[in-house]
Amino acid sequence: MNLKEKIDILVTLDENYLPPLEVMLTSLHVNNPNRQFNIWLLHERIPAEKIEVLSLFVASFGSELLVRKVDNLLIKETVSIHDYPKEMYFRLLCGQFLPETVKRVIYLDPDTLIINSIEDLWSLDLEGNMMAAATHAGLTNISHTINNIRLGTSNVYFNSGIMLIDTDLAREKIQLEAIYEVIEKFEKQLILPDQDVLNYLYGENIKEIPEEIWNYDTRQSLTYFTKSKGTYDARWVLENTVILHFCGKPKPWKQKNLDKFSVLYVHYEQLMKRMKDTQKEIGE
């Protein structure tokens, strides 16, 4: 483990997700205090003044924001089906946008919390695979069968919210035109468009990692508890899970009746606000 080496983190979003991004980055910093990060932001139209605010916030905990603006003509508007933004495809195409010096990157959705060390994911042996990701299998694994029938695939169905990506292999294998072809072929069947595309085209190039550690779906706490025969209770999660993922709706930054994990989210939200207040006081 080389603590002097920065960990490369990838985020792709529009300006609506900047507030939860700051909460996620706060949790990343707090629970990895001896690490510095390169935070790679791929975006299309976030205003420069908001980028500057985010950059100063990231710098306040010793990391660096590195921004790549994607040409709005590069990704066709036709990929924005079901009201999902084009930015979701930037993560699949990150090999095209990141410099060749970046050999691997951890992609993180902004609706996540990092509650323990991320080191083991960063140093994971991909064993020749292009990516590592988790599934959300549920109690019966029936979602895999449904998605296999829907997309004509045979591999398990991976969630694209957290991924370790070998960017050299991504540059070699992931092609924009292939993504367009899948969208045109399956447009009516696509439910989570970029995730469906990921699984259809590249599912066989993904190494599975345990969801209860790396992509814990906070909606499914009872399922995890049941499948583990009572082992994965709240204490186990706080001690062992690394990434909580607030999939679906309502999101914890909007939810009024908070569950146990949403309360934890609000805790990091408050930490983020205090960090920004301190940053402001130092600047005055």
Side-chain angles (χ1 to χ4, degrees), residues 26-167:
T26 298
S27 70
L28 177 66
H29 165 63
V30 167
N31 293 299
N32 294 268
N34 297 319
R35 267 296 192 177
Q36 292 181 317
F37 299 90
N38 290 321
I39 308 298
W40 294 93
L41 169 62
L42 303 182
H43 76 103
E44 185 182 56
R45 55 171 70 94
I46 299 176
E49 59 272 18
K50 293 191 175 183
I51 295 287
E52 179 63 21
V53 171
L54 179 62
S55 181
L56 291 172
F57 178 65
V58 170
S60 72
F61 51 81
S63 293
E64 184 177 4
L65 182 70
L66 299 153
V67 182
R68 295 292 184 270
K69 191 174 188 297
V70 179
D71 189 328
N72 61 6
L73 298 178
L74 182 62
I75 309 292
K76 297 176 183 177
E77 289 294 339
T78 52
V79 303
S80 299
I81 58 179
H82 306 324
D83 296 322
Y84 285 97
K86 290 194 292 183
E87 284 82 358
M88 68 193 312
Y89 295 93
F90 297 174
R91 53 187 162 183
L92 299 185
L93 295 162
C94 66
Q96 313 300 323
F97 304 135
L98 298 178
E100 293 189 1
T101 53
V102 177
K103 299 302 182 182
R104 60 170 43 196
V105 68
I106 297 174
Y107 170 80
L108 296 171
D109 267 357
D111 60 347
T112 58
L113 287 178
I114 291 71
I115 62 172
N116 280 299
S117 171
I118 206 166
E119 292 287 347
D120 285 349
L121 182 58
W122 177 245
S123 60
L124 180 72
D125 183 357
L126 283 169
E127 301 176 331
N129 290 288
M130 181 171 60
M131 300 177 182
T135 67
H136 284 158
L139 195 59
T140 62
N141 293 331
I142 193 172
S143 61
H144 293 324
T145 302
I146 293 172
N147 286 310
N148 287 343
I149 293 172
R150 182 168 61 88
L151 298 174
T153 55
S154 57
N155 49 272
V156 298
Y157 187 82
F158 292 97
N159 181 276
S160 59
I162 292 94
M163 297 182 289
L164 173 66
I165 304 171
D166 180 322
T167 48

Side-chain angles (χ1 to χ4, degrees), residues 194-243:
D194 83 305
Q195 191 164 277
D196 286 346
V197 169
L198 171 73
N199 281 275
Y200 181 80
L201 288 175
Y202 311 112
E204 294 182 355
N205 302 115
I206 301 175
K207 177 177 180 174
E208 185 174 355
I209 53 178
E211 62 176 301
E212 65 272 11
I213 301 293
W214 299 112
N215 196 336
Y216 185 102
D217 184 344
T218 57
R219 301 170 300 180
Q220 300 297 326
S221 59
L222 182 58
T223 297
Y224 293 122
F225 183 80
T226 302
K227 289 178 71 173
S228 69
K229 298 180 180 178
T231 298
Y232 298 163
D233 58 11
R235 176 177 288 277
W236 186 95
V237 171
L238 293 175
E239 292 177 349
N240 295 278
T241 296
V242 177
I243 303 174

Side-chain angles (χ1 to χ4, degrees), residues 60 273-284:
S60 72
K273 291 176 181 178
R274 287 200 289 271
M275 289 175 65
K276 297 194 79 171
D277 288 342
T278 299
Q279 179 184 21
K280 184 177 179 181
E281 290 173 2
I282 293 173
E284 290 177 348

Side-chain angles (χ1 to χ4, degrees), residues 249-268:
K249 296 179 180 180
K251 295 300 186 186
W253 55 89
K254 294 183 177 180
Q255 189 174 347
K256 291 183 179 180
N257 298 314
L258 302 179
D259 59 28
K260 58 187 175 185
F261 292 118
S262 296
V263 167
L264 184 61
Y265 186 92
V266 173
H267 167 69
Y268 283 102

